[in-house]
Amino acid sequence: GGVGKTTLAQLVYNDEKVEEYFDFKVWVCVSEDFDVVRVTKSLLESVVRNTPSATSKVWESDNLDILRVELKKNSREKRFLFVLDDLWNDNYNDWDELVSPLIDGKPGSSVIITTRQEKVAEMAKTFPIYKLYPLSHEDCWSILSKHALENDEYHDSKNIALEEIGRKIARKCGGLPLAL
């Protein structure tokens, strides 16, 4: 946690070129309590909200089959980007139930997942895994000095002690941008 997975996904999601490329985009926070019905409802609700011709309120149903049919119908022949943030569930059957309605999306449609667990990323199988690693001590110091001291080139002979303290703090953050 804190290495920047969600931040990186947000940068992609909010990029101007991404906005122009996809017919619609949907972001769903999944978290540890993975529920296929809840996530499918969230996707469907957002898809319908982004489709002017759709008026269905079917996402109020708890019937997974109905939700999946509606999601497939409303995302068919559209280029979409779905981000499933903070996915923990590594059950292949749950994953298959969630993504099977998305198969008929227009070529170029994409699903991005963020996860702390490599086995979750491997379970998705069809996506290349992009791993994020903790930052180096020098990168940590650069970020900390830039934000705390409003200067990324902090070298002042009068404040060597302050820089030493800052570098110790940067090391204690363990390379995690969120901690910095």
Side-chain angles (χ1 to χ4, degrees):
V3 78
K5 300 174 294 296
T6 298
T7 300
L8 179 60
Q10 286 172 337
L11 289 170
V12 170
Y13 187 84
N14 294 319
D15 186 86
E16 192 175 295
K17 290 179 184 174
V18 169
E19 187 78 39
E20 294 169 5
Y21 182 76
F22 293 100
D23 295 321
F24 60 85
K25 336 177 274 184
V26 176
W27 185 287
V28 176
C29 295
V30 181
S31 299
E32 287 182 72
D33 183 24
F34 180 82
D35 177 1
V36 178
V37 172
R38 181 185 63 80
V39 175
T40 304
K41 276 184 182 185
S42 294
L43 291 171
L44 179 57
E45 182 178 353
S46 294
V47 167
V48 169
R49 209 177 315 124
N50 286 296
T51 308
S53 60
T55 58
S56 175
K57 294 253 184 204
V58 75
W59 65 81
E60 294 171 358
S61 171
D62 281 333
N63 183 317
L64 183 59
D65 290 332
I66 291 171
L67 294 169
R68 291 172 66 211
V69 166
E70 279 298 309
L71 182 57
K72 183 173 186 163
K73 183 174 86 176
N74 283 287
S75 59
R76 182 180 303 145
E77 296 306 314
K78 293 187 177 90
R79 188 176 301 128
F80 56 79
L81 171 64
F82 290 154
V83 176
L84 304 175
D85 186 34
D86 201 20
L87 185 64
W88 287 71
N89 187 322
D90 64 350
N91 181 309
Y92 179 79
N93 292 330
D94 288 345
W95 173 252
D96 189 55
E97 281 188 356
L98 180 63
V99 297
S100 65
L102 309 177
I103 293 171
D104 291 334
K106 206 180 218 180
S109 293
S110 297
V111 177
I112 296 174
I113 64 171
T114 66
T115 183
R116 295 180 189 190
Q117 300 176 352
E118 191 169 344
K119 63 184 177 181
V120 172
E122 290 169 353
M123 176 264 320
K125 291 184 182 175
T126 57
F127 303 103
I129 297 172
Y130 187 83
K131 286 185 176 182
L132 296 181
Y133 296 96
L135 301 173
S136 70
H137 292 306
E138 206 48 46
D139 288 340
C140 287
W141 167 241
S142 176
I143 290 172
L144 183 64
S145 65
K146 181 178 181 180
H147 289 283
L149 307 171
E150 297 179 354
N151 182 356
D152 51 357
E153 290 291 325
Y154 191 77
H155 300 288
D156 186 341
S157 59
K158 292 186 266 183
N159 292 313
I160 292 175
L162 186 59
E163 183 176 339
E164 280 181 39
I165 292 168
R167 287 183 178 275
K168 285 180 184 176
I169 292 170
R171 272 192 294 282
K172 286 187 178 196
C173 288
L176 300 177
L178 183 62
L180 290 161

